[in-house]
Amino acid sequence: MSALISDDELKHESRLVWLEDVQELDYVRQSLDRLPTRGGKPAYHRDGRMVGYAVLGPQARASRASDTFRRRVFWLLPHDRDAEPEGLYATGAPAEAVDPRTVTAGSKGCKTERSEGGPPSPAMRELGITLPL
């Protein structure tokens, strides 16, 4: 979950690969998965779909215990807002969700008014500002 992801765990990310146009998504879920390689598209074993993943640089080292790398994977479930706009997450967002526009390699990203399903306040819209929550 994003709250449990530390900046230290992201320091070896060299880039993010998006499999979809995330500019149209209000949020994506992110998790740190144990994967066998530093790069390449990982296997996906959740319901829903993978929308992106992180690639690690050559300085990243595998865990001694599991010989795996901790890499971020971005995903959505079938009941997320993009598929069910009036469903469970019509407002609010899952704990592990972040606004994909705030995510970069090495940066956790954050929730915003958009990812929470609410419009920006009138004053913020007037100023063209969207603050992370």
Side-chain angles (χ1 to χ4, degrees):
M1 291 190 207
S2 60
L4 302 176
I5 296 174
S6 73
D7 291 332
D8 192 52
E9 292 175 299
L10 305 180
K11 69 182 178 186
H12 296 301
E13 288 184 346
S14 62
R15 65 187 175 97
L16 301 179
V17 175
W18 295 110
L19 303 171
E20 297 183 19
D21 179 6
V22 294
Q23 296 303 311
E24 301 300 317
L25 298 172
D26 292 342
Y27 65 81
V28 295
R29 296 172 185 252
Q30 69 177 345
S31 59
L32 273 175
D33 291 359
R34 293 202 172 274
L35 300 170
T37 64
R38 286 182 187 91
K41 183 178 175 184
Y44 185 72
H45 304 290
R46 293 179 180 90
D47 287 342
R49 67 190 195 275
M50 180 181 358
V51 295
Y53 58 90
V55 173
L56 304 179
Q59 71 280 18
R61 300 286 172 239
S63 163
R64 286 187 225 172
S66 64
D67 201 33
T68 58
F69 298 89
R70 287 178 56 98
R71 289 172 47 200
R72 271 194 299 178
V73 175
F74 302 95
W75 45 285
L76 290 167
L77 292 176
H79 61 273
D80 280 323
R81 190 180 311 142
D82 70 304
E84 293 186 16
E86 303 303 318
L88 177 63
Y89 294 112
T91 61
E96 67 273 16
V98 292
D99 185 331
R101 298 174 304 164
T102 67
V103 178
T104 59
S107 168
K108 289 187 274 191
C110 52
K111 290 189 177 184
T112 62
E113 291 166 323
R114 172 182 155 163
S115 67
E116 289 291 316
S121 68
M124 290 180 67
R125 277 196 311 269
E126 188 174 306
L127 295 171
I129 298 172
T130 302
L131 296 176
L133 293 177

